[in-house]
Amino acid sequence: MASTVPDQNLFSLDRYHVSTEVGFILPEPLDELPAYFQPWMDVARRIPELVDAHQLRFHVDRMPLLNSQLLRGYRELRLAHLALGMMTMGYVWQEGEKETVEILPRALAVPYWAVSERLGLPPILTHADAVLANWRKRDPEGPFDMSNLEMLFSLPGGESVHGFFMAAFLVELSAVPGLKSIPAVINGVRGGDSEEVAAALEEVGRALQSMTETLKLLHVYVDPAVFYGIMRIFLSGWKDNPSMSKGLVYEGVQEEPMEFSGGSAAESSLLHCFDELLGVKHEAKGGGDFLLRMRDYMPPAHKQLVQDISAQPSLKRFVQEQSSERLTQTFQLCLTRLLAFRSYHISVVSRFITVPAARARQLRDKKSPDDEGEMVTKAPTALEERGTGGSGIMVFLKTVRDETRKSLLSDNSAEKHQADESC
């Protein structure tokens, strides 16, 4: 029998920097900093052309050391972190994997470190920067779609860069109805209301399906050869990366080099939240340790949300204890769609990384590859079997997918119902 949970004890997203309109995305990010910080903005807005001309390091080395304490407010800090992060990736990887740098210059390193400390983010470009805070609408009254979205700062790779980051942005946006339904699931479990839980899980399931459909935009707007041969290195970090095995010295911060992982889809809080809600467990050796480490690359409020969802009463146990066919089927459908998303993500990684990597290996000995072949052979060899976050990418993704499959309920009416439909 359902019981009423007192309002003051209701689980809510209010304290986690989650917007009811755009979820984990930063609402209405700033696109300008105060005039004092114009030297940063002038360089950050020209990263692709400066990298192409081999001039980005020259311009960064001549930037003044600015006082980041003059930044005011959360949005100014997020914009500064994005701009400094984009410059850092361009500076480190301007000349590819063979001519990396060992030291990030003081004028970039000192303010980047200080801004990172204030935000609780690492001093490297993250998903929270490049996807969640790197957008604006061309027409403020227009829709959220590819033609009406533009980036604040870009990296080398032309239109494929826009397609990659905006597709990830739209995946985040498509998940918002499911994200907003998480409190109803938790409160329904607490109050023993199986109908409330089932209704909320239906929203979660629809959101997971929408995420998979939206991810397909990558195939339309991103050229695999450009992604693999040009873009990918600029998303790479200096942890678990043979190209920068010693890490990176942040000049003026500390003398010893530091290591940070590059950008990774695992930094998105979405799947962490859905995993914790649905009771999907990841073994430490199989990828759980990496996923746990990626939470340190999330805004602290988002990381706290993941942790707090994990601390709630078990949804899976609640489902198993109820005699509700609707609840059981809906729970199973959520897991099935989460599994489908991860399976589709593997196919995306195969097209954009595994296949180009194999082609690059074949073409390196070819004297006159075509333009596309020349592009993929320029990709860093150190990353052929690894993700930009430093993980052994295919083994990791398949392990996470298989662990999701293990979370499916067994010997239940939902599974039977799905089997019957497939016959």
Side-chain angles (χ1 to χ4, degrees), residues 386-399:
R386 308 192 75 79
T388 49
S391 63
I393 191 162
M394 271 302 183
V395 172
F396 167 73
L397 291 175
K398 289 179 178 178
T399 299

Side-chain angles (χ1 to χ4, degrees), residues 370-422:
D370 57 23
D371 290 344
E372 182 177 314
E374 184 178 354
M375 195 180 299
V376 297
T377 57
K378 290 179 179 179
T381 57
L383 289 176
E384 282 181 353
E385 303 299 330
R386 308 192 75 79
T388 49
S391 63
I393 191 162
M394 271 302 183
V395 172
F396 167 73
L397 291 175
K398 289 179 178 178
T399 299
V400 170
R401 176 202 61 192
D402 293 345
E403 288 170 337
T404 306
R405 183 182 288 116
K406 289 177 183 177
S407 299
L408 287 163
L409 297 173
S410 59
D411 190 26
N412 61 68
S413 58
E415 194 169 53
K416 181 177 183 298
H417 176 74
Q418 290 167 352
D420 290 344
E421 285 189 331
S422 66

Side-chain angles (χ1 to χ4, degrees), residues 233-247:
I233 193 171
F234 292 98
L235 306 177
S236 305
W238 26 99
K239 180 178 176 64
D240 301 325
N241 186 344
S243 296
M244 293 187 66
S245 58
K246 296 180 181 179

Side-chain angles (χ1 to χ4, degrees), residues 217-246:
L217 290 170
L218 287 172
H219 297 299
V220 180
Y221 291 98
V222 184
D223 182 334
V226 173
F227 176 79
Y228 186 79
I230 297 177
M231 290 171 53
R232 195 165 174 247
I233 193 171
F234 292 98
L235 306 177
S236 305
W238 26 99
K239 180 178 176 64
D240 301 325
N241 186 344
S243 296
M244 293 187 66
S245 58
K246 296 180 181 179

Side-chain angles (χ1 to χ4, degrees), residues 16-260:
Y16 298 107
H17 286 189
V18 177
S19 161
T20 57
E21 288 79 29
V22 293
F24 290 122
I25 296 166
L26 180 66
E28 300 179 0
L30 299 178
D31 57 9
E32 292 286 354
L33 289 174
Y36 172 77
F37 297 100
Q38 197 60 41
W40 294 352
M41 303 297 280
D42 288 342
V43 175
R45 288 198 173 111
R46 299 178 60 205
I47 290 170
E49 64 174 280
L50 291 175
V51 168
D52 189 55
H54 303 274
Q55 289 290 306
L56 181 63
R57 289 178 184 170
F58 174 86
H59 284 272
V60 169
D61 287 340
R62 282 153 183 77
M63 286 196 317
L65 176 59
L66 302 180
N67 181 5
S68 66
Q69 295 302 314
L70 298 178
L71 292 164
R72 296 287 182 265
Y74 186 69
R75 281 180 172 78
E76 281 193 8
L77 288 168
R78 289 291 295 270
L79 180 57
H81 198 268
L82 168 62
L84 295 166
M86 286 285 194
M87 284 190 282
T88 295
M89 302 314 259
Y91 189 93
V92 169
W93 298 113
Q94 174 180 289
E95 304 300 329
E97 67 176 335
K98 302 300 184 184
E99 297 181 51
T100 58
V101 296
E102 296 182 356
I103 299 173
L104 195 67
R106 184 183 305 267
L108 184 51
V110 170
Y112 196 18
W113 181 268
V115 170
S116 298
E117 288 284 290
R118 290 172 70 181
L119 286 171
L121 288 170
I124 191 169
L125 189 72
T126 66
H127 179 87
D129 299 311
V131 175
L132 303 183
N134 189 23
W135 69 277
R136 66 183 165 208
K137 287 183 175 183
R138 291 187 171 96
D139 173 6
E141 304 303 318
F144 282 106
D145 62 24
M146 279 290 188
S147 63
N148 196 42
L149 287 168
E150 60 184 7
M151 301 168 61
L152 305 180
F153 307 105
S154 191
L155 292 168
E159 286 302 309
S160 285
V161 181
H162 175 268
F164 179 76
F165 286 122
M166 292 300 97
F169 174 95
L170 290 170
V171 169
E172 290 275 346
L173 193 65
S174 69
V176 171
L179 186 60
K180 290 196 300 184
S181 297
I182 289 176
V185 174
I186 292 171
N187 294 325
V189 170
R190 287 175 174 181
D193 190 336
S194 62
E195 288 301 304
E196 180 183 7
V197 175
L201 284 176
E202 287 172 356
E203 285 291 340
V204 173
R206 281 190 286 268
L208 287 164
Q209 185 174 30
S210 180
M211 288 167 63
T212 303
E213 291 300 314
T214 306
L215 192 58
K216 295 176 182 179
L217 290 170
L218 287 172
H219 297 299
V220 180
Y221 291 98
V222 184
D223 182 334
V226 173
F227 176 79
Y228 186 79
I230 297 177
M231 290 171 53
R232 195 165 174 247
I233 193 171
F234 292 98
L235 306 177
S236 305
W238 26 99
K239 180 178 176 64
D240 301 325
N241 186 344
S243 296
M244 293 187 66
S245 58
K246 296 180 181 179
L248 181 68
V249 173
Y250 288 70
E251 187 180 33
V253 177
Q254 71 173 45
E255 294 182 0
E256 295 299 315
M258 291 182 274
E259 297 182 328
F260 295 99

